[in-house]
Amino acid sequence: MNTSTGIASTAVEPAALLAVVADPVRWRLLAHLADGATRCVCDLQPVAAVAPNLLSYHLRVLREAGLVSAARRGRWMDYTVTADASARLRAALPAVGTAAGESR
C-alpha cells in the first residue's frame, strides 16, 4: 500500500487498464484465457501469433496489470486469468450516465 495516496501499489488506473487490453495480441490472449482454464505458454503461442519474446512481453504486461497469473511447471509457465479480471475491466469502463472525467 502506498501510504501517501492510500492506493495499493498494484492498483492500475482505469485508463491504463483499458490500454493494456486495447492491444490486439493481449486481447486475443485474454479472450483465450477468459474461460478460466489454465494454459501452458506453449498453447498460447499460436493464439498470440507473435515471436516467443513478444509473447513473453505481452504476458508480462497482462501479469503486471493483474489480469493473469502465472505458475512455473518445470521449464514451462502456465497462465490463468485472475478471478477479478472481468470485474476490474467492467469497473474501468465509464458508468452510463456520467460525464467524462467525473468520478463515480
Side-chain angles (χ1 to χ4, degrees), residues 48-95:
V50 294
N53 62 324
L54 288 175
L55 175 59
S56 293
Y57 166 76
H58 288 295
L59 288 167
R60 179 173 47 95
V61 171
L62 289 169
R63 276 194 328 269
E64 289 174 353
L67 296 173
V68 300
S69 61
R72 183 166 296 283
R73 181 176 44 90
R75 69 181 205 124
W76 298 105
M77 291 293 287
D78 291 328
Y79 290 89
T80 309
V81 70
T82 57
D84 67 341
S86 181
R88 289 182 55 228
L89 287 168
R90 268 193 307 278
L93 295 171

Side-chain angles (χ1 to χ4, degrees), residues 22-48:
D23 181 272
V25 173
R26 292 191 289 267
W27 183 258
R28 281 194 309 270
L29 291 167
L30 199 57
H32 192 70
L33 293 167
D35 64 1
T38 298
R39 294 202 173 75
C40 174
V41 69
C42 59
D43 296 328
L44 296 174
Q45 182 66 51
V47 173

